[in-house]
């Protein structure tokens, strides 16, 4: 969200910019663009984000442009991140669910994610209930191969004890899905009294597949009456030799569906999908209908397959 001020900005002395990891000068300025929500009810539900620096020249060039350019910085950040889908299964035992605040840390061969709060389940409004599976999105810079996780809770609320069955972590850009079995209580009055546990993946339950790649998808809605839609828009990409991606929704939730695809709008997304190769022969784009304003007049779509450096 951008804030404006009527006060004339104070002139700042020129500052040398450097994003070199080995820089030791004292006048370096680092730019960490975000342009994304830190809110449970917005975007992917995360309230903490990891940001990587970009070059000052890119920031200045972007600030000279208008409209979509501001969001581009945030998309560049997302393209450099690894997206993990985290599924958490609560055991089917009496009083297995918890009202406490659950958090997780992913440890890789290079780094870790730090503590990430699991606040916005994509599946259930009331999360961590008995016998239920909850799904969360975690984004992080490159931490390397995932080695272990730490998961726990803050022991706050009316019913804090929790029986954790397992955690499953899928990283499409890495082509790996790992299962972390637990089958134990995280409860001060049960088991060993621990409310945090370190869990290692079960090698026999690890699934490997061809890694997904990020695509930059720009959607242009027409400038005619009633062109916008609040429906769930999806896309499928087709490459040569019959290769195609899964059907993927462009919006993460209904709130985004109401925000995007307005009349005469340009919306840009970074989406991780199966690699269909260097040539995209065709696409299939549409929506699932439903709602009061589902009809949509689409002008055009632009797609760019991003390379590892985000270009």
């Amino acid at each position: 969200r951008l804030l404006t001020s009527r006060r004339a900005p104070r002139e700042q002395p020129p500052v040398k910019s450097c994003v070199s990891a080995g820089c030791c000068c004292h006048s370096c300025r680092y730019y960490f663009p975000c342009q994304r929500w830190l809110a449970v009810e917005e975007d992917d539900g995360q309230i903490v984000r990891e940001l990587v620096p970009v070059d000052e020249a890119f920031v200045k060039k972007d600030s000279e442009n208008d409209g979509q350019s501001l969001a581009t910085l945030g998309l560049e950040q997302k393209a450099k991140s690894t997206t993990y889908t985290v599924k958490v299964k609560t055991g089917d035992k009496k009083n297995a669910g918890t009202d406490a605040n659950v958090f997780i840390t992913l440890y890789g061969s290079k780094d870790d994610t730090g503590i990430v709060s699991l606040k916005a389940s994509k599946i259930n409004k009331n999360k961590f209930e008995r016998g239920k599976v909850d799904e969360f999105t975690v984004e992080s810079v490159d931490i390397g191969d995932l080695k272990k996780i730490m998961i726990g809770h803050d022991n706050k609320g009316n019913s804090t004890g929790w029986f954790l069955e397992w955690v499953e972590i899928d990283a499409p850009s890495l082509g790996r899905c790992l299962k972390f079995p637990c089958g134990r209580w995280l409860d001060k009055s049960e088991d060993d009294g621990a409310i945090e546990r370190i869990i290692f993946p079960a090698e026999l339950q690890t699934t490997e597949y061809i890694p997904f790649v990020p695509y930059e998808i720009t959607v242009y809605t027409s400038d005619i009456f009633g062109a916008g839609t609040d429906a769930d828009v999806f896309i499928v990409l087709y490459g040569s030799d019959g290769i195609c991606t899964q059907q993927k929704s462009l919006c993460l939730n209904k709130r985004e569906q109401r925000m995007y695809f307005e009349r005469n709008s340009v919306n840009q997304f970074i989406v991780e999908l199966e690699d269909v190769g260097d040539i995209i022969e065709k696409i299939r784009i549409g929506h699932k209908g439903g709602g009061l304003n589902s009809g949509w007049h689409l002008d055009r779509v632009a797609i760019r397959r991003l390379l590892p450096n985000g270009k």
Side-chain angles (χ1 to χ4, degrees):
R1 186 175 297 176
L2 300 177
L3 302 179
T4 58
S5 173
R6 296 181 179 177
R7 180 181 297 177
R10 181 184 301 175
E11 290 190 5
Q12 299 288 342
V15 179
K16 181 181 178 182
S17 175
C18 177
V19 295
S20 172
C23 177
C24 59
C25 57
H26 297 289
S27 58
C28 294
R29 176 173 293 174
Y30 294 83
Y31 293 89
F32 297 86
C34 183
Q35 293 295 326
R36 296 181 66 187
W37 286 98
L38 284 80
V40 174
E41 69 278 4
E42 300 281 2
D43 203 330
D44 57 7
Q46 292 300 315
I47 58 175
V48 178
R49 298 201 180 279
E50 289 191 350
L51 305 177
V52 294
V54 300
D55 188 81
E56 180 184 18
F58 182 76
V59 177
K60 287 186 175 180
K61 177 182 177 182
D62 199 75
S63 63
E64 292 171 357
N65 299 327
D66 55 5
Q68 282 299 113
S69 60
L70 290 171
T72 301
L73 288 171
L75 290 170
E76 291 287 340
Q77 286 278 358
K78 185 172 182 178
K80 294 178 181 178
S81 300
T82 300
T83 300
Y84 298 92
T85 298
V86 179
K87 293 183 178 180
V88 181
K89 171 68 182 295
T90 298
D92 191 10
K93 292 177 175 288
K94 183 178 180 181
N95 299 322
T98 184
D99 295 329
N101 297 303
V102 175
F103 50 81
I104 192 171
T105 301
L106 279 55
Y107 294 90
S109 57
K110 298 179 181 178
D111 201 353
D112 65 74
T113 62
I115 295 176
V116 179
S117 297
L118 301 180
K119 288 185 173 293
S121 174
K122 292 184 176 181
I123 301 176
N124 304 306
K125 184 176 181 181
N126 295 322
K127 52 190 181 295
F128 309 122
E129 294 294 313
R130 174 179 175 175
K132 300 293 185 180
V133 176
D134 292 286
E135 182 177 319
F136 306 87
T137 298
V138 174
E139 284 185 11
S140 173
V141 296
D142 183 18
I143 63 172
D145 293 334
L146 187 56
K147 298 297 185 181
K148 64 181 180 180
I149 64 172
M150 184 278 290
I151 189 167
H153 61 78
D154 62 2
N155 203 47
K156 294 182 179 179
N158 294 326
S159 178
T160 59
W162 184 35
F163 189 90
L164 172 62
E165 195 68 56
W166 49 256
V167 178
E168 182 183 273
I169 300 181
D170 188 15
S173 65
L174 303 178
R176 299 192 78 194
C177 181
L178 294 86
K179 197 73 162 284
F180 296 80
C182 181
R184 297 183 66 179
W185 286 97
L186 284 77
D187 190 338
K188 287 191 172 182
S189 60
E190 296 282 355
D191 204 329
D192 59 0
I195 58 174
E196 296 179 7
R197 297 203 181 276
I198 298 289
I199 311 175
F200 293 87
E203 293 186 9
L204 295 179
Q205 298 183 57
T206 297
T207 304
E208 296 188 355
Y209 53 92
I210 299 176
F212 285 23
V213 297
Y215 290 90
E216 177 189 87
I217 301 175
T218 307
V219 181
Y220 299 80
T221 299
S222 303
D223 186 17
I224 63 174
F225 179 76
T229 184
D230 292 335
D232 184 6
V233 174
F234 61 81
I235 193 168
V236 180
L237 312 186
Y238 293 84
S240 58
D241 301 325
I243 299 174
C244 69
T245 69
Q246 61 181 303
Q247 179 173 300
K248 181 72 172 182
S249 294
L250 295 178
C251 293
L252 294 173
N253 50 50
K254 290 185 178 180
R255 185 184 295 269
E256 287 192 358
Q257 291 174 209
R258 294 192 294 268
M259 291 171 55
Y260 298 147
F261 310 117
E262 296 296 311
R263 173 179 174 175
N264 196 32
S265 66
V266 180
N267 302 116
Q268 200 169 60
F269 308 88
I270 299 293
V271 182
E272 290 182 344
L273 294 169
E274 296 91 340
D275 189 355
V276 298
D278 295 331
I279 298 177
I280 301 176
E281 293 194 343
K282 66 177 181 178
I283 68 171
R284 183 165 66 93
I285 188 169
H287 62 78
K288 299 178 181 179
L292 298 176
N293 303 299
S294 62
W296 184 35
H297 197 286
L298 173 64
D299 182 63
R300 64 189 189 275
V301 180
I303 299 178
R304 186 164 63 111
R305 181 176 181 270
L306 298 178
L307 299 175
N309 61 0
K311 300 301 182 183

